[in-house]
Amino acid sequence: MTVKQIAWHALGSKEVESRLKADFKKGLSSGEAEKRLKKLGANAFEREKEFYYLELFWKQVKSPLVFILIVAGIVTLFLEEYTNSIVIFLAVFINMAIGIFQEGRASRALDKLKSSQKKYATVLRDGRQKVVESSELVPGDIVILKMGDQVPADVRLIEEKGLEVNEAALTGEWVAVGKDASGKIGEEARLSERLNMAWMGTLVTEGWAKAVVVNTGFNTEIGKIAEMVSEEDKVESPLQKGIGQLARFLGITVALALAVIFTVGMARGGSFAEMLLVSVAIAVAAIPEGLPVAVTVVLALGMEKILSKGGLVKNLNAVETLGSTTIILTDKTGTLTKAEMRVSKIITLLSEKKEFREKEHKDRLQILEMAMLASGAFIENPNDELKEWIVRGSPVDKAVLLASIEAGLRQGEILKKNPRVDFIPFDSERRFSASMHKISAEKNRVFILGAPEVILSFCDKIYKDGKGVKMSAKDLEFMKRRYEKENSQGTRILAVAYKDREPGVFPHHGETDGVFEKMVFGGFIGFHDPLREDVVSSIKSARDAMVRPIMVTGDHLITAKKIAEEAGLLGKNGLVMDGGEIENLSEKELGEIIGKVDVFARVLPHQKMDIVKAWQAKGEVVAMTGDGVNDAPALKRADIGIALGSATEVAKEASDIILLNNSFGVMVAAIEEGRRILDNLRKIIAYLFSTAFSEIILVGVAIIAGLPLPILPVQILWTNIIGEGFMNFAFAFEPKEKGLMKRDPRTQSAGSILSHDLKKLISIITAATAVSMMALFLALLWLDYPIAETRTIMFAGLSIGTIFFAFSLKNLKKPIWKINIFSNLYLVFSLLAGVAMLIAALLLPPLQKLLSLVQLSAMEFLFILGIGIFNLAIIEISKYFIFERKQKNA
């Protein structure tokens, strides 16, 4: 049975039933449904991930730094240097275990979120209704849709009563679409024009329907977008690019150094095995072994902190990308706004007439009461406290009832006084709802709420100062002008009218029998989708942080512009561009104009991706927020995709971060956290690379000069992993620096990781440490110190120096005596732990044997302490000339 590529909207119901081999009366049998499920697959967008942990393992192995260590471990194993091999492979294991654990932890958190959000559908099987998981639906299933249901698959309507569907998740348009099950629709009709269809992921806001499933999973309209998302390559994060650049630089440097040293060594008569061991020493010295673990831990801690603020981070690299973000492309519906209707204004004949303000207020309250009575909304639990009330109904009806409650009107009391006799729900063809109420034993009153042009055509009177009076041509012209004005500003307008009549009910079979003629026109009610409370302040905070927010929405241009103005998103000279204009632009033309546009409206999914790519081509780091299926491709393409907690599953799958509580403000807080993380990553990298480069120069010069190794590979690994391990992790807990959110992220890009000034500082630290330690090594050799004792002093000197200067890197713009060293207690603990581990290595016989160390005298210990203080002084002097003096001159 083929279910793809068929224009179901263009077929009659009998042909649909025949092609699907369905039964519109009884539904499929359970056995047939099970067969189809096995053949066609689940009604879901996830494909089973095979070998998941193997993928995580390979992801760690692919790290250039880890790969070089693995090669070094294999070489030492081949040379039967088993102690070195054990230590090297232990370092590799620690790196990979932490990486796999943290990535798996984020994945499990997401899986838990998904399992708590399973969706169900009411289906007709074996001739009776039953509830099944939406993922079990198959083409040919008969489903029942009612108000509040999410459409579980692409369906062709069989029967419907007043069905309205909000298709914002698919199209971005928040106004519900009226559906019609009867007849065929042209094959070339656009998605929004296929009124006899309902699409997976959209929401039923009104009415009831019986429908047949025609497509499931990736064959649905939403599924096609999901497929597009899965095929879109994710761009590398700024940190990934930066680490990659550093790794390539290290790889080339190490390869050249090894080639030179190996050649020189062999020329001097060194054995092949000896030169291999020397090569391992160089490789181990060059690689900052603690870097992969330190980066993973810093990102994981950032992920935990963002989670505490309401953001679920799906992958670790997304954390640091936030700190580099320069552009935020945000959807409108559900992201900037609440995705719910609210009454924004009530317009009467007395509006704009200052002398009638008091009377106009009374008229507005009366019109609101009329609209409430004409609506189908109700309070589910009227006997509970007011704050506990749950309002049910369509978005429009709920908005009217909520506004009435806020105005002090009580639906229960009014209905008790004037009980409802009959009700006609809103119909897309009729375009209004109507309610009849008993006013007295002799009189009923009809209230209607609906499309202004329809309601106005029913009326010959108008409500003014508490009563109905004859509507003049001037009155009609005034109301029409107000309607056109509000409509042009993007406000959705409905009208209210009433009429007294004799007791009875509404005529059946759609006959009006004069009921809706010669009515009294009440006024207009305006609706809008309100901004989220924190949006204005969040956008201001983003701009203060030199991050530019831009609206990208599928909604109408006028509505989008109005919301952008309310949110403070539209700049003084900012442009508003329609999707139709984008379609006519070349890639080059879009790139030229994109910097001037603050709002993109009526955009299609592929256009959102074009906008993301255009900004990325300018070198910007782009964050994309959204919640609908139509946002998914751009979420995947962006440097960082951010989905709301209420987003569709497709959007969540495509995103890097999920805002669990739908707060736009969480994103700004997450950007701040991202910047703190970037600061701390730079400190870690500066710390590790300073020590690594010092070691490679020290070992390299000694080998070229024909001297013995000043420090052994196993000693280097101990220094880099055990001695420094606590210290580099400690930077993960550094608090944010003052003025963090006032910096320009373009000058702090993670793509380069290290600024020019920081590179200079690393160079000075490297040179000072390498020169001083080489001088010490030569002096010890000249004094005929035993080589084991010499290496022990060199090992201790390098270790204590790296422990001491960590405090200098807490803040690069302040001298150490102005830094609050207790602002990060973990760093203080790490200093003590590092010193303790060094003392243990120097004093405990098992560690002495493992590391080839010997006992030192008290005088030698004091000398080593002096080395640490000397290194600290060199760094503080360097900081002054590189950072502090520049800051004073600025």
Side-chain angles (χ1 to χ4, degrees):
M1 177 184 57
T2 302
V3 293
K4 295 181 181 179
Q5 307 301 325
I6 296 177
W8 299 105
H9 57 280
L11 305 178
S13 59
K14 288 290 184 185
E15 189 174 356
V16 171
E17 185 176 22
S18 173
R19 287 207 185 194
L20 288 170
K21 297 180 182 176
D23 187 329
F24 287 179
K25 292 182 180 179
K26 295 181 180 180
L28 298 176
S29 67
S30 296
E32 178 62 23
E34 190 174 341
K35 286 180 186 176
R36 296 188 185 192
L37 186 62
K38 286 181 179 178
K39 180 180 179 181
L40 299 172
N43 180 33
F45 304 138
E46 291 184 69
R47 293 193 172 98
E48 192 69 30
K49 288 184 178 179
E50 297 181 0
F51 313 114
Y52 175 65
Y53 282 99
L54 191 60
E55 285 181 17
L56 287 182
F57 172 81
W58 179 243
K59 186 176 180 182
Q60 304 303 316
V61 172
K62 285 195 302 182
S63 165
L65 304 183
V66 172
F67 182 74
I68 292 174
L69 279 181
I70 291 174
V71 172
I74 293 171
V75 171
T76 53
L77 197 63
F78 173 73
L79 296 174
E80 299 182 355
E81 296 286 339
Y82 299 123
T83 300
N84 288 333
S85 297
I86 290 169
V87 176
I88 290 172
F89 283 121
L90 183 63
V92 171
F93 175 77
I94 293 170
N95 277 311
M96 295 176 65
I98 292 177
I100 291 171
F101 173 77
Q102 292 295 351
E103 291 278 3
R105 187 177 181 183
S107 178
R108 287 193 298 274
L110 188 66
D111 289 342
K112 187 176 180 181
L113 178 70
K114 288 177 186 173
S115 65
S116 67
Q117 297 178 332
K118 285 183 179 177
K119 294 180 174 60
Y120 297 88
T122 302
V123 64
L124 192 63
R125 283 188 184 166
D126 300 315
R128 61 179 185 273
Q129 285 188 23
K130 60 189 299 187
V131 175
V132 300
E133 280 191 33
S134 296
S135 60
E136 296 176 8
L137 290 178
V138 295
D141 260 329
I142 308 301
V143 294
I144 307 299
L145 304 175
K146 58 184 183 300
M147 188 173 69
D149 286 350
Q150 190 175 76
V151 180
D154 281 1
V155 298
R156 170 68 156 83
L157 302 177
I158 303 169
E159 303 173 36
E160 58 83 20
K161 292 181 181 177
L163 184 70
E164 288 191 16
V165 180
N166 185 313
E167 297 180 342
L170 189 61
T171 65
E173 175 57 69
W174 62 280
V175 178
V177 178
K179 295 293 183 177
D180 184 358
S182 62
K184 304 176 185 179
I185 295 173
E187 190 168 331
E188 300 301 320
R190 293 183 298 176
L191 212 65
S192 59
E193 296 171 346
R194 301 174 192 178
L195 302 183
N196 57 7
M197 300 287 295
W199 312 108
M200 184 179 189
T202 58
L203 184 68
V204 177
T205 59
E206 189 71 47
W208 171 94
K210 183 179 181 182
V212 59
V213 174
V214 295
N215 281 316
T216 58
F218 283 105
N219 293 325
T220 63
E221 292 300 322
I222 281 181
K224 293 172 187 175
I225 298 176
E227 191 78 58
M228 189 196 315
V229 169
S230 65
E231 291 171 357
E232 181 63 35
D233 292 332
K234 185 70 177 177
V235 297
E236 281 189 321
S237 76
L239 184 65
Q240 286 173 317
K241 293 175 183 176
I243 291 289
Q245 290 169 2
L246 280 175
R248 284 189 292 273
F249 169 74
L250 271 178
I252 294 169
T253 303
V254 170
L256 290 174
L258 289 178
V260 171
I261 292 167
F262 197 88
T263 303
V264 171
M266 292 295 288
R268 288 183 174 178
S271 69
F272 181 77
E274 182 186 3
M275 286 302 99
L276 273 181
L277 189 58
V278 167
S279 299
V280 168
I282 292 288
V284 169
I287 299 303
E289 289 81 9
L291 182 59
V293 173
V295 169
T296 299
V297 170
V298 172
L299 296 180
L301 288 171
M303 181 179 77
E304 295 282 349
K305 195 161 186 179
I306 292 172
L307 181 61
S308 71
K309 295 178 180 179
L312 174 64
V313 180
K314 288 173 56 183
N315 68 73
L316 294 179
N317 286 320
V319 179
E320 55 79 20
T321 310
L322 279 166
S324 307
T325 299
T326 57
I327 299 291
I328 299 173
L329 301 177
T330 175
D331 189 24
K332 178 187 75 67
T333 306
T335 308
L336 297 177
T337 68
K338 294 182 177 180
E340 59 185 45
M341 281 193 183
R342 291 287 177 87
V343 172
S344 59
K345 58 186 68 179
I346 299 172
I347 302 165
T348 72
L349 184 62
L350 299 180
S351 296
E352 299 182 0
K353 298 182 180 181
K354 294 180 181 179
E355 65 272 23
F356 296 123
R357 280 292 160 84
E358 188 175 342
K359 293 179 179 179
E360 197 255 345
H361 175 72
K362 291 179 181 178
D363 282 4
R364 288 170 60 198
L365 197 62
Q366 196 62 47
I367 289 165
L368 189 57
E369 181 178 324
M370 294 178 197
M372 180 187 69
L373 292 172
S375 78
F378 62 93
I379 301 167
E380 188 176 273
N381 53 339
N383 296 323
D384 291 350
E385 293 288 329
L386 176 62
K387 63 181 180 180
E388 303 292 333
W389 281 359
I390 299 172
V391 176
R392 302 291 189 190
S394 70
V396 167
D397 289 351
K398 281 175 65 177
V400 168
L401 182 49
L402 287 169
S404 302
I405 293 170
E406 290 170 3
L409 299 174
R410 295 295 176 261
Q411 187 186 48
E413 295 173 8
I414 295 171
L415 288 175
K416 189 174 181 181
K417 182 181 177 182
N418 304 120
R420 178 174 279 173
V421 176
D422 202 358
F423 180 71
I424 300 175
F426 182 89
D427 179 88
S428 57
E429 290 188 7
R430 191 186 303 112
R431 300 178 69 196
F432 66 85
S433 60
S435 184
M436 188 181 294
H437 294 259
K438 182 178 180 181
I439 303 300
S440 66
E442 296 81 26
K443 182 172 68 174
N444 283 356
R445 181 167 289 171
V446 176
F447 300 97
I448 62 173
L449 173 68
E453 58 272 25
V454 174
I455 305 300
L456 276 170
S457 70
F458 293 158
C459 302
D460 61 357
K461 298 183 181 66
I462 192 165
Y463 191 75
K464 180 180 179 183
D465 195 14
K467 60 182 181 292
V469 300
K470 184 172 178 59
M471 184 189 296
S472 65
K474 186 178 179 182
D475 294 337
L476 180 61
E477 181 61 28
F478 170 77
M479 298 309 290
K480 283 184 175 179
R481 271 202 323 272
R482 281 306 304 268
Y483 169 52
E484 290 168 1
K485 177 184 175 182
E486 297 296 334
N487 200 40
S488 68
Q489 293 175 350
T491 305
R492 186 181 182 187
I493 296 292
L494 293 181
V496 179
Y498 73 94
K499 175 184 179 180
D500 292 336
R501 60 167 289 161
E502 69 281 357
V505 294
F506 289 121
H508 294 292
H509 308 299
E511 297 174 7
T512 57
D513 194 27
V515 174
F516 305 116
E517 295 176 3
K518 298 183 179 180
M519 302 190 76
V520 179
F521 184 80
F524 296 128
I525 298 181
F527 299 85
H528 76 133
D529 184 8
L531 288 175
R532 293 184 178 276
E533 287 80 1
D534 62 348
V535 161
V536 175
S537 61
S538 296
I539 285 176
K540 184 180 183 302
S541 297
R543 283 202 163 129
D544 289 344
M546 299 186 187
V547 178
R548 182 180 174 185
I550 299 167
M551 182 192 293
V552 182
T553 178
D555 215 336
H556 290 285
L557 187 143
I558 293 171
T559 306
K561 183 179 179 182
K562 182 183 177 185
I563 292 295
E565 288 170 345
E566 288 180 17
L569 195 148
L570 190 60
K572 187 177 179 181
N573 299 314
L575 299 180
V576 181
M577 180 174 281
D578 186 87
E581 298 174 74
I582 298 174
E583 200 67 21
N584 296 324
L585 295 177
S586 66
E587 187 176 316
K588 182 182 178 182
E589 289 170 332
L590 179 61
E592 290 172 352
I593 198 172
I594 199 166
K596 302 174 185 177
V597 182
D598 285 333
V599 178
F600 291 94
R602 301 299 284 176
V603 294
L604 299 171
H606 72 274
Q607 292 172 337
K608 291 188 178 186
M609 257 204 300
D610 291 341
I611 293 167
V612 170
K613 289 177 182 177
W615 275 115
Q616 288 174 332
K618 288 181 172 291
E620 304 289 351
V621 178
V622 181
M624 170 81 191
T625 73
D627 66 345
V629 176
N630 59 339
D631 299 323
L635 286 171
K636 184 72 178 287
R637 173 67 198 186
D639 295 285
I640 182 163
I642 305 173
L644 298 184
S646 58
T648 59
E649 289 305 312
V650 175
K652 287 177 182 176
E653 281 297 316
S655 67
D656 299 293
I657 294 177
I658 299 172
L659 304 182
L660 299 178
N661 59 2
N662 287 3
S663 173
F664 188 85
V666 172
M667 185 168 61
V668 178
I671 288 175
E672 182 178 53
E673 179 61 20
R675 291 191 180 183
R676 185 187 73 84
I677 287 166
L678 278 179
D679 262 10
N680 293 343
L681 281 173
R682 289 188 175 99
K683 292 171 186 175
I684 289 171
I685 291 170
Y687 178 71
L688 291 174
F689 272 67
S690 296
T691 57
F693 288 150
S694 300
E695 290 161 356
I696 192 173
I697 291 172
L698 190 61
V699 173
V701 170
I703 292 170
I704 292 173
L707 301 173
L709 284 176
I711 187 168
L712 298 174
V714 69
Q715 294 170 347
I716 293 172
L717 280 171
W718 179 276
T719 302
N720 290 0
I721 297 172
I722 308 300
E724 299 171 10
F726 289 106
M727 303 300 290
N728 57 54
F729 289 147
F731 285 114
F733 298 91
E734 277 295 303
K736 68 177 181 179
E737 293 182 8
K738 190 176 179 181
L740 182 69
M741 288 296 277
K742 298 294 182 183
R743 301 178 192 168
D744 187 344
R746 293 160 186 82
T747 64
Q748 300 289 324
S749 172
S752 59
I753 297 184
L754 300 176
S755 66
H756 178 67
D757 288 340
L758 203 53
K759 287 176 182 176
K760 283 200 294 185
L761 180 64
I762 291 173
S763 300
I764 291 172
I765 295 172
T766 299
T769 304
V771 170
S772 62
M773 293 306 295
M774 180 53 70
L776 174 62
F777 180 57
L778 292 173
L780 292 172
L781 290 178
W782 183 71
L783 292 171
D784 288 328
Y785 264 66
I787 190 63
E789 190 173 350
T790 297
R791 285 172 176 161
T792 301
I793 293 172
M794 295 295 292
F795 164 77
L798 279 172
S799 298
I800 201 72
T802 56
I803 290 172
F804 271 39
F805 78 68
F807 279 104
S808 279
L809 295 178
K810 270 179 65 69
N811 192 310
L812 301 176
K813 298 175 176 62
K814 289 182 181 179
I816 194 167
W817 55 87
K818 289 185 179 180
I819 297 172
N820 178 11
I821 62 172
F822 296 106
S823 65
N824 182 358
L825 292 177
Y826 190 89
L827 187 60
V828 177
F829 165 78
S830 298
L831 171 74
L832 298 175
V835 171
M837 294 302 294
L838 175 60
I839 292 172
L842 293 172
L843 298 182
L844 297 180
L847 290 179
Q848 286 179 342
K849 184 178 180 181
L850 174 70
L851 300 173
S852 301
L853 301 174
V854 297
Q855 193 76 35
L856 297 178
S857 68
M859 186 61 68
E860 287 170 330
F861 270 111
L862 287 175
F863 181 72
I864 289 166
L865 187 62
I867 293 173
I869 295 171
F870 173 77
N871 270 359
L872 190 61
I874 290 292
I875 294 164
E876 285 301 315
I877 293 168
S878 302
K879 274 171 57 178
Y880 175 78
F881 284 102
I882 295 173
F883 297 105
E884 293 174 53
R885 194 169 69 169
K886 180 187 285 188
Q887 199 173 14
K888 288 178 182 177
N889 295 336

